[in-house]
């Protein structure tokens, strides 16, 4: 498909020239074009259309490979697994209408809905799940480790190269019956099965598309509440209600228009002119809109942190890493630079995410880690440089080219160059997908990392850092850490398991200083009052359009 010229950007600039930042002069009637080619502001009176921004292009819609927020959002609203999550983030039966479990908790039998269909009208079968799950391994998918987290039998052996993808213990015994065998009983299984890596794929369709599968709207097949009907690369895409969805009666929206708009000021201009219904503000605009009835703060468990390349000749030194972690003002970043409800984070697991049996917050139990004064940071820096045999060092910072990442990078550069003599930081901003590719290749010195939880348990943050793990992406390795992670995953004593995870966090953050936690994300949102029931879930995928309604 040929890329269409940037009509959205062109008409936006024209309107800015004629009418100022609010589009309110009335001198121009030009409107941004929707991905489908229709005006983004003119809706038929009987048609319910939600208009949203996306922070970047969709890298892929192949659930075997997807591993970032934009693709997760699209897949979550166009696809569906055995389970889906409700408005309170609790899993409920979706493509499966029945779930039976053996007495020992190891064999799980799912009955696929008779009325479950693909967007082409063909039935969703148990074979589609078996094919898709095994394909994650044959394709070396980014989230193959999710099958290990789910405790599906043989997943670990396949990841270690000891068995083949076809040995994964999942089998379609007929068109509507899927049998899944676990290594051990797993109380998190239902939550995990709602994650996009566990979505089905129709084998005949995938193989017919070949290398193009998931890269265009019409080389992807959908079984969720919506389906893509257009996709203009780097500009936007259009969702429409899927008439073949088994639960279509609860879907109130007819259409969703998504525009790729990276710049917050551009998002705001489009919101003010009525061309976007929901946007996220940065610090430059929060105070201006804080008392607006359309303004809201959304607390999230997404964390931001610095990755260190542990094979770098200087960053391999623990004292250097600790000095970098301590030598800047986290509170200033949260309150002044971000100013969006974000909070400083001094650990791996965020606040208000996990609690012990008495209701005490995981973060409060383990307390603040990596704490220290600026003088202590400078002493560690001096000692670390001496141990590394250098007096100065230049480090590159791998960052996405989003407004938020640019602000954070510039703040870090100013703080660290001021506080750590001999340090020079070079900001290397690239599109989000390139930032991720650099991370996967460990082709960086420092990298601005982010992680949104995949399920509601501390392990979603903790098992990222096992040796060779797909989310590790910094060559960190500690055999003791690996051993304790495996111990926690198989431990059915929940109190003992919690104590192990608390110890693991201290090893990673305090003892090894493997990463430098930065902050826990808050979102400053402007959402039109006509938009009802927009659900933002705490674990990925977060943005849900299933229940959204437009009320005039």
């Amino acid at each position: 498909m040929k890329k269409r010229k940037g009509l959205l950007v062109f008409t936006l600039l024209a309107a800015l020239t004629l009418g100022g930042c609010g589009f309110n002069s009335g001198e121009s009637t030009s409107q941004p074009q929707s991905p489908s080619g229709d005006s983004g502001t003119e809706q038929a009176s009987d048609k319910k259309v939600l208009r949203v921004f996306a922070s970047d292009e969709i890298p892929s819609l192949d659930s075997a490979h997807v591993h970032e927020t934009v693709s997760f959002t699209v897949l979550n609203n166009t696809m569906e697994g055995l389970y889906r999550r409700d408005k309170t983030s609790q899993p409920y039966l979706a493509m499966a209408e029945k779930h039976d479990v053996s007495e020992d908790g190891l064999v799980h039998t799912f009955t696929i809905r008779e009325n479950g269909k693909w967007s082409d009208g063909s039935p969703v079968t148990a074979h589609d799940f078996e094919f898709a799950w095994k394909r994650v391994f044959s394709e070396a998918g980014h989230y193959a480790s999710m099958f290990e987290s789910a405790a599906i039998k043989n997943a670990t052996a396949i990841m270690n190269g000891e068995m083949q993808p076809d040995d994964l213990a999942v089998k379609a015994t007929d068109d509507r019956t899927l049998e899944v065998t676990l290594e051990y009983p797993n109380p998190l299984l239902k939550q995990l099965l709602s994650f996009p890596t566990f979505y089905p794929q129709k084998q005949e369709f995938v193989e017919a598309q070949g290398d193009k599968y998931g890269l265009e709207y019409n080389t992807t097949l959908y079984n969720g509440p919506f389906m893509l009907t257009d996709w203009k690369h780097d500009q936007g895409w259009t969702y429409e209600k899927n008439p073949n969805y088994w639960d279509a009666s609860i879907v109130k929206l007819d259409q969703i228009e998504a525009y790729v708009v990276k710049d917050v000021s551009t998002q705001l201009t489009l919101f003010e002119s009525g061309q976007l219904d929901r946007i996220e503000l940065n610090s430059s605009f929060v105070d201006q809109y804080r008392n607006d009835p359309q303004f809201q703060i959304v607390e999230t468990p997404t964390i931001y942190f610095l990755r260190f390349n542990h094979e770098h000749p200087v960053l391999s030194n623990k004292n250097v890493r600790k000095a970098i972690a301590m030598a800047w003002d986290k509170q200033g970043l949260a309150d002044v630079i971000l100013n969006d409800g974000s909070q400083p984070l001094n650990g791996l697991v965020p606040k208000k995410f996990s609690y012990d049996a008495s209701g005490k917050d995981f973060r409060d139990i383990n307390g603040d880690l990596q704490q220290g004064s600026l003088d202590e940071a400078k002493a560690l820096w001096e000692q670390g440089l001496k141990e590394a045999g250098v007096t100065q060092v230049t480090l590159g910072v791998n960052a996405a080219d989003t407004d938020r990442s640019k602000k954070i990078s510039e703040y870090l550069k100013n703080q660290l160059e001021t506080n750590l003599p001999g340090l020079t930081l070079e900001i290397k901003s690239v599109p989000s997908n390139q930032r991720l590719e650099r991370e996967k290749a460990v082709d960086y010195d420092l990298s601005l990392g982010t992680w949104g939880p995949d399920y509601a348990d501390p392990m979603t943050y903790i098992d990222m850092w096992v040796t060779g793990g797909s989310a590790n992406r910094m060559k960190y390795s500690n055999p003791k850490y690996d051993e304790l992670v495996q111990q926690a995953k198989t431990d059915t004593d929940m109190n003992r398991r919690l104590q192990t995870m608390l110890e693991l966090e201290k090893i990673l953050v305090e003892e090894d200083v493997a990463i430098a936690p930065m902050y826990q994300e808050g979102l400053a949102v402007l959402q039109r009052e006509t938009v009802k029931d927009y659900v933002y879930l705490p674990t990925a995928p977060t943005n849900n359009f299933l229940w959204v309604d437009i009320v005039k």
Side-chain angles (χ1 to χ4, degrees):
M1 186 193 306
K2 292 183 179 179
K3 295 183 180 179
R4 192 189 57 177
K5 293 183 179 179
L7 293 176
L8 175 62
V9 175
F10 177 80
T11 52
L12 171 60
L13 291 175
L16 280 170
T17 302
L18 292 169
C21 346
F23 280 13
N24 292 322
S25 72
E27 296 178 33
S28 172
T29 58
S30 297
Q31 302 292 352
Q33 292 293 307
S34 74
S36 62
D38 299 322
S39 167
T41 56
E42 300 197 12
Q43 302 177 18
S45 58
D46 60 344
K47 195 172 187 179
K48 295 186 176 183
V49 182
L50 177 70
R51 297 152 308 177
V52 297
F53 83 96
S55 60
D56 218 325
E57 161 72 329
I58 306 170
S60 173
L61 290 178
D62 183 346
S63 56
H65 293 288
V66 166
H67 57 84
E68 44 62 57
T69 303
V70 176
S71 297
F72 278 157
T73 294
V74 179
L75 280 181
N76 185 46
N77 290 288
T78 60
M79 295 286 287
E80 187 163 274
L82 298 169
Y83 276 87
R84 195 174 189 92
R85 289 177 299 146
D86 65 18
K87 295 179 182 181
T88 64
S89 203
Q90 296 305 304
Y92 67 91
L93 286 169
M95 275 294 107
E97 64 180 14
K98 188 179 180 185
H99 177 184
D100 295 313
V101 186
S102 61
E103 287 187 14
D104 60 5
L106 298 181
V107 180
H108 295 250
T109 303
F110 299 91
T111 303
I112 307 303
R113 290 186 182 279
E114 190 171 8
N115 60 342
K117 293 182 180 181
W118 291 105
S119 49
D120 66 357
S122 61
V124 176
T125 72
H127 301 284
D128 299 331
F129 284 92
E130 179 181 355
F131 167 74
W133 293 11
K134 291 179 177 179
R135 184 170 174 270
V136 173
F137 292 92
S138 62
E139 289 279 313
H142 180 86
Y143 267 106
S145 60
M146 288 292 283
F147 291 86
E148 185 178 33
S149 298
I152 295 179
K153 189 174 181 180
N154 299 336
T156 301
I158 298 169
M159 292 176 66
N160 293 337
E162 299 163 2
M163 301 182 79
Q164 298 301 311
D166 200 48
D167 294 320
L168 188 70
V170 52
K171 182 180 180 181
T173 58
D174 58 44
D175 283 352
R176 294 188 57 208
T177 308
L178 185 73
E179 186 177 280
V180 179
T181 304
L182 306 186
E183 299 275 6
Y184 53 87
N186 186 356
L188 301 177
L189 182 65
K190 293 178 182 180
Q191 285 192 52
L192 291 167
L193 290 180
S194 68
F195 195 73
T197 308
F198 295 95
Y199 289 168
Q201 294 180 345
K202 185 176 178 180
Q203 183 173 358
E204 306 95 293
F205 185 88
V206 172
E207 293 176 347
Q209 303 307 316
D211 293 342
K212 295 182 179 180
Y213 177 69
L215 298 181
E216 306 288 351
Y217 79 92
N218 57 357
T219 64
T220 311
L221 207 56
Y222 313 96
N223 73 321
F226 299 93
M227 55 187 181
L228 291 196
T229 56
D230 196 27
W231 179 0
K232 297 294 188 295
H233 292 281
D234 298 310
Q235 296 178 47
W237 47 91
T238 299
Y239 305 78
E240 290 189 9
K241 181 176 179 178
N242 181 2
N244 289 311
Y245 181 53
W246 70 272
D247 205 13
S249 62
I250 72 166
V251 180
K252 300 179 180 68
L253 292 177
D254 297 296
Q255 188 171 303
I256 303 157
E257 298 287 0
Y259 303 94
V260 177
V261 188
K262 298 181 182 182
D263 180 70
V264 175
S265 61
T266 305
Q267 292 176 28
L268 183 56
T269 302
L270 293 171
F271 183 86
E272 292 282 21
S273 64
Q275 296 169 82
L276 285 176
D277 296 318
R278 189 179 193 273
I279 63 170
E280 295 170 9
L281 300 176
N282 63 20
S283 59
S284 301
F285 303 104
V286 168
D287 290 338
Q288 178 182 348
Y289 287 91
R290 194 177 296 277
N291 296 321
D292 191 306
Q294 299 173 112
F295 178 85
Q296 56 185 274
I297 290 290
V298 178
E299 293 184 334
T300 88
T302 295
I303 65 170
Y304 285 70
F305 54 91
L306 271 178
R307 293 179 189 270
F308 299 104
N309 180 344
H310 283 247
E311 292 188 337
H312 188 281
V314 177
L315 291 174
S316 60
N317 183 281
K318 175 181 171 180
N319 288 321
V320 168
R321 297 196 301 273
K322 191 168 185 179
I324 292 173
M326 291 167 52
W328 60 281
D329 180 9
K330 293 183 184 181
Q331 195 70 52
L333 174 66
D335 293 348
V336 180
I337 305 302
L338 298 174
N339 189 30
D340 58 5
S342 295
Q343 304 174 57
L345 180 65
N346 294 305
L348 177 65
V349 180
K351 299 177 181 177
K352 298 182 180 179
F353 180 75
S354 178
Y355 304 86
D356 68 6
S358 69
K360 192 170 184 180
D361 195 307
F362 185 105
R363 184 73 277 121
D364 291 334
I365 298 172
N366 242 12
D368 289 332
L369 310 177
Q370 275 188 12
Q371 291 283 75
S373 68
L374 182 56
D375 287 341
E376 289 172 323
K378 288 180 175 179
L380 288 167
W381 178 251
E382 184 177 342
Q383 180 182 347
L385 291 186
K386 184 176 181 181
E387 291 168 350
V390 298
T391 57
Q392 57 186 15
V393 62
T394 298
L395 300 173
V397 180
N398 180 40
D401 62 352
T402 61
D403 181 77
R404 176 183 287 255
S405 290
K406 288 176 182 177
K407 285 179 178 290
I408 295 169
S409 301
E410 290 163 0
Y411 180 78
L412 279 177
K413 177 177 172 66
N414 177 271
Q415 288 268 302
L416 293 177
E417 288 184 348
T418 299
N419 296 331
L420 299 178
L423 174 61
T424 300
L425 286 186
E426 296 179 347
I427 301 171
K428 300 183 178 182
S429 294
V430 294
S432 296
N433 58 337
Q434 290 184 35
R435 180 191 70 81
L436 288 168
E437 290 305 314
R438 284 185 179 180
E439 277 195 355
K440 287 192 286 186
V442 196
D443 181 21
Y444 64 86
D445 302 329
L446 300 170
S447 186
L448 290 182
T450 178
W451 191 260
D454 300 326
Y455 49 94
D457 185 82
M459 187 57 72
T460 189
Y461 300 98
I462 289 169
D463 71 355
M464 294 171 62
W465 313 106
V466 296
T467 302
S470 60
N472 187 310
R473 305 204 289 266
M474 59 183 192
K475 300 295 180 69
Y476 166 71
S477 179
N478 182 331
K480 180 183 177 182
Y481 191 89
D482 298 346
E483 181 182 346
L484 288 175
V485 167
Q486 192 56 36
Q487 178 180 314
K489 283 186 172 183
T490 58
D491 198 342
T492 56
D493 184 321
M494 300 309 285
N495 182 60
R496 185 172 58 207
R497 179 176 182 271
L498 173 62
Q499 295 306 312
T500 302
M501 291 192 291
L502 290 164
E503 180 183 357
L504 281 161
E505 185 188 54
K506 286 185 176 179
I507 292 173
L508 182 83
V509 178
E510 194 167 57
E511 294 179 20
D512 291 351
V513 196
I515 63 168
M518 299 173 68
Y519 68 94
Q520 178 175 345
E521 181 186 64
L523 297 179
V525 172
L526 278 182
Q527 179 175 298
R528 213 164 296 287
E529 292 180 285
T530 54
V531 177
K532 306 298 181 183
D533 293 324
Y534 188 109
V535 175
Y536 188 95
L537 296 177
T539 57
T542 53
N543 292 278
N544 292 262
F545 307 141
L546 178 61
W547 303 283
V548 175
D549 196 4
I550 306 294
V551 180
K552 302 298 183 182

